[in-house]
Every structure is written in C-alpha cells, then in structure tokens.
Amino acid sequence: MGHRLPLQHVTIHGHEVGFRRAGDPERETILLIHGLAGSSKTWDSTIDDLAAEYDVIAPDLLGHGESAKPRGDYSLGAFASGLRDMLAMLDVASVTVVGHSFGGGVAMQLAYQYPHLIDRLVLVGSGGLGREVSVILRMLALPGAEYLMPLGIPGFVVDRANDVGRFLGRRNIRSERLGEMWRAYASLAGAENRQAFVKTMRGVIEPGGQTVSATDRLYLAARVPMMIVWGDKDGVIPVEHGIRAHEAIENSRLEILEGVGHFPHVEAPEKFTASLLDFMATTTAGPDDKSLREVLLAASNPRTVSDTA
C-alpha cells in the first residue's frame, strides 16, 4: 500500500470538498471516484503507481469522507455537476474517469452530462448497469432503516473493531475485502454521515434493487475508449452486469479478476493498476470523430416513408 497523500480542499458553492492529488499536472489526468460510503482513501494502494505516469485526482464526494455533508441534493446529476465544477476550479480540461460501484454511476452520469470532459471511461464493479444488488443494501433502503443504523453502529464498537483490525494487521492477518467493507461501515458512525449515506443510496436503490440504469444509453459510451473491471467473486453487484455491458458497448475492454470481490483496486491492486496503465497506454484520449447528434440519430434508426414502402 502506498503512503496516504495529504488531503487538500477546494470550496465549491460554499461547501468544502476534499481531494487528494498526485503526479504531474502537465500530464493526462485520471479522476478516481469512490463508491457509496467510501472516500478517496479507497485508492491508497493504486494512486502512487498511477501518479508515476499521470496526474491523479481522487476526491471525497460531498457527504463522504472529509468533504462537507450539507442537507441538499445527493442525486447522480448533482454529483456530476459538482465534479465538473471541481475540475474547473483545478483548471483540468478533461479526464480519464474511473468510477467504482456507486462511483461508476457517477462516472457515467458525468460522461452523459459533460461528454467534453471525458477522455476515457473505466467502470469498476459499477452500479447503474442492472437491477440486482446485495440484500444488505436493499434492506438499508427500507423506510426507517436510518433510525436503526445508530443502534447498529455505536461509536465504541467502531473504535474497538478498529483496534482489533490494527492488532491483526500487525500480525499480517488481513483481508483487504473485509477491511474495505469495514472502513465504509465505520464511516457511517456519525449522524451527518448516515443522513448523507441514506439520501445518496435512496437516489439509486430501493428495496427491490437498483432504480437507476444506464443500459439504454450505453451506446453513447462507445464514443470514448472504455474498460470494465470486475471481480468474479463480487457479492455486492454481480459480475454478469459487467459482462452484459461489455457485450452492449462496441470496442469496450473487459477485465475479470479471478478470486476478487467488490473492491478490485483494494484486493488486487497490482493487477488492477497494471490493467489501467495498459488501457491508458494503448488507447487514444477523447471522443471519436462522430458528433453527438450523429450518434443519437444512428441509435434512433429513423425509418422514412420510402423505407417502409
């Protein structure tokens, strides 16, 4: 694991947004978007290797990590707009956007709303590609679940579990998958964090599963180089979602990591980073030559009177 970069802050619309940045700002930029209840810390094992060749930015989304947790809009569109504004503040013209889990949904929304910002799109165990999602997340979407969460995550339990984690870590007894899941779980111990988590989650998940789907617009993603990364043991979002998306997107690249769960960048950071660096090196940044209008018209496949005669 690489060293943890210091957190920087930028104020956008009166709210403080935390981010970590490494590498050369004169090079191509990679934007790393974490998942639900996560933070920029989730990229600790990969950011140093990526920064050796690229400019890398990993934000804490609003409501997450050390960014502000205002009462407000936690929709995918709001997150995409916030990232657009952050990139403008940092004077970054375009990015290769890498989104994990919920962050994959944000990445796709960013690409849909602001296609001029996107050089490449990388989805990692991404949400927004199908209905199925883990039972735990569907239970947390039930009405009133937020009132039970404080009982399930008392502060002393978080502190004690962190002590146990450090004890096991010193003895080289570790599970990266469980560690990352615990870090996300423990982040919900504060009331503000829980409120932001519930608002964010209910924007994309209901008790029956995921409510937001990009599958009808996936063809738009083919305008830029795209890679899909998934663990074949993902217990949160099925790997079949990634396979179906790959089949639907012409010229996309699919990387399935054996024995890996929902956190490829944490569980198998060397493989994940190698795949991403190879993808960056072997693709050309930016959209293809077709205009957005051409792509939309081709997809609509209009039929004229002469066609039907």
Side-chain angles (χ1 to χ4, degrees), residues 84-224:
R84 174 205 60 185
D85 295 342
M86 184 194 74
L87 293 174
M89 293 282 286
L90 299 178
D91 196 26
V92 175
S94 63
V95 296
T96 290
V97 59
V98 180
H100 170 245
S101 196
F102 173 77
V106 175
M108 286 188 284
Q109 188 70 26
L110 183 67
Y112 176 62
Q113 289 182 205
Y114 310 109
H116 62 283
L117 292 177
I118 308 302
D119 290 332
R120 303 175 187 81
L121 181 61
V122 180
L123 303 177
V124 186
S126 178
L129 296 174
R131 182 75 167 157
E132 299 85 359
V133 72
S134 72
V135 173
I136 291 176
L137 286 179
R138 287 190 279 120
M139 287 177 62
L140 289 174
L142 288 167
E146 63 268 37
Y147 301 111
L148 298 176
M149 289 170 69
L151 302 178
I153 321 173
F156 74 88
V157 171
V158 172
D159 293 340
R160 185 59 187 273
N162 286 337
D163 289 341
V164 171
R166 283 189 286 271
F167 174 83
L168 295 175
R170 285 194 295 269
R171 284 151 183 78
N172 208 30
I173 303 171
R174 67 202 312 175
S175 167
E176 286 80 2
R177 188 182 314 173
L178 290 176
E180 191 65 16
M181 292 181 72
W182 175 254
R183 184 155 65 179
Y185 182 73
S187 77
L188 303 177
E192 282 185 330
N193 302 57
R194 286 195 299 273
Q195 184 180 66
F197 168 79
V198 169
K199 290 192 72 173
T200 304
M201 182 189 63
R202 287 185 178 159
V204 293
I205 298 172
E206 63 182 10
Q210 295 189 72
T211 59
V212 176
S213 175
T215 52
D216 62 341
R217 301 172 195 173
L218 281 178
Y219 66 92
L220 293 173
R223 298 185 68 223
V224 296

Side-chain angles (χ1 to χ4, degrees), residues 191-296:
E192 282 185 330
N193 302 57
R194 286 195 299 273
Q195 184 180 66
F197 168 79
V198 169
K199 290 192 72 173
T200 304
M201 182 189 63
R202 287 185 178 159
V204 293
I205 298 172
E206 63 182 10
Q210 295 189 72
T211 59
V212 176
S213 175
T215 52
D216 62 341
R217 301 172 195 173
L218 281 178
Y219 66 92
L220 293 173
R223 298 185 68 223
V224 296
M226 181 174 181
M227 181 169 71
I228 300 166
V229 182
W230 228 281
D232 68 346
K233 303 298 183 183
D234 194 328
V236 178
I237 304 176
V239 66
E240 286 74 20
H241 289 202
I243 295 171
R244 290 201 299 264
H246 168 61
E247 292 172 347
I249 303 170
E250 187 179 359
N251 298 324
S252 62
R253 183 181 303 189
L254 177 64
E255 297 280 350
I256 297 178
L257 304 183
E258 293 185 9
V260 173
H262 189 56
F263 302 92
H265 54 294
V266 176
E267 299 172 51
E270 294 86 2
K271 291 181 180 179
F272 172 80
T273 304
S275 293
L276 180 52
L277 288 174
D278 180 71
F279 175 64
M280 295 286 295
T282 56
T283 54
T284 302
D288 60 27
D289 294 333
K290 293 180 182 177
S291 70
L292 180 59
R293 180 176 183 275
E294 287 178 293
V295 175
L296 291 169

